[in-house]
Amino acid sequence: AARGEIGSITATAGLSLGEYTALHLAGVFDFATGLRLVALRGRAMQRAAEASEGSMVALIGGDEAQAEAVCDAARGDGVLVCANFNAPGQIVLSGSKDACDRAVTAATDMGLRGTALTVAGAFHSPLMQPAAEALGEALASTSFQKPNIEVWSNVTATKHDSADTELLKQRLVEQLVQPVRWAQLCSGLVSTHRIV
């Protein structure tokens, strides 16, 4: 959370699941609703992970263009995408297990370091589409309030439109299958709020 004057929160953000905490702090939904949504999200993601053989790879030392080049070189007939832009030089790839295995080799061939991650599935990739659909159905019947402070989106790396709660719900659905742009979000949040 960004602080204006002491004790006054002016903006919130949270990485992946943490975006729900940020939304709760901004008054978008109450604690019980947040718990219900994150539990449903977790179950849906687990089912999607079990339905596909997916994995993730941490790519160290590359930028977005290099990460995309690794994906292109290793994808083959599988799925392989950039999933998390965690920090400059640290990007996580996500997709089919065989493509992730090839990505480790492709990264080395390009002078980067790729490390296979021990995860349950290919999160923030198209392999999570069944989870996104389940979450979308749950969000459609969930009442959201307009945020009372800025909340920044993982998908767009910009603040959510506080007047459009339906678009906010859509961004949460997209978050399951799109990359989390955390590094870009943090950079924008810091520059917007002049955090030092």
Side-chain angles (χ1 to χ4, degrees), residues 58-161:
L59 185 65
I60 308 299
D63 60 20
E64 185 168 355
Q66 290 170 306
E68 291 289 352
V70 170
C71 289
D72 291 343
R75 186 176 296 115
D77 293 333
V79 171
L80 189 63
V81 296
C82 296
N84 297 80
F85 294 91
N86 291 331
Q90 207 274 336
I91 299 169
V92 176
L93 311 180
S94 182
S96 311
K97 174 132 180 34
D98 57 344
C100 286
D101 292 342
R102 289 190 297 270
V104 172
T105 302
T108 301
D109 292 347
M110 294 180 188
L112 305 170
R113 190 172 91 221
T115 303
L117 301 177
T118 304
V119 293
F123 304 114
H124 303 294
S125 84
L127 296 177
M128 288 291 115
Q129 186 59 39
E133 291 168 9
L135 180 61
E137 289 176 18
L139 289 170
S141 61
T142 302
S143 177
F144 274 23
Q145 305 302 312
K146 293 178 183 176
N148 52 34
I149 56 174
E150 287 181 15
V151 181
W152 285 57
S153 166
N154 283 216
V155 173
T156 65
T158 61
K159 63 182 176 179
H160 283 288
D161 178 350

Side-chain angles (χ1 to χ4, degrees), residues 23-90:
L23 290 165
H24 166 66
L25 290 173
V28 173
F29 46 72
D30 63 26
F31 188 71
T33 299
L35 286 179
R36 181 179 60 80
L37 289 172
V38 298
L40 181 144
R41 178 183 183 270
R43 288 190 301 271
M45 291 175 75
Q46 183 62 37
R47 284 192 302 272
E50 291 169 358
S52 63
E53 191 174 346
S55 190
M56 299 178 88
V57 172
L59 185 65
I60 308 299
D63 60 20
E64 185 168 355
Q66 290 170 306
E68 291 289 352
V70 170
C71 289
D72 291 343
R75 186 176 296 115
D77 293 333
V79 171
L80 189 63
V81 296
C82 296
N84 297 80
F85 294 91
N86 291 331
Q90 207 274 336

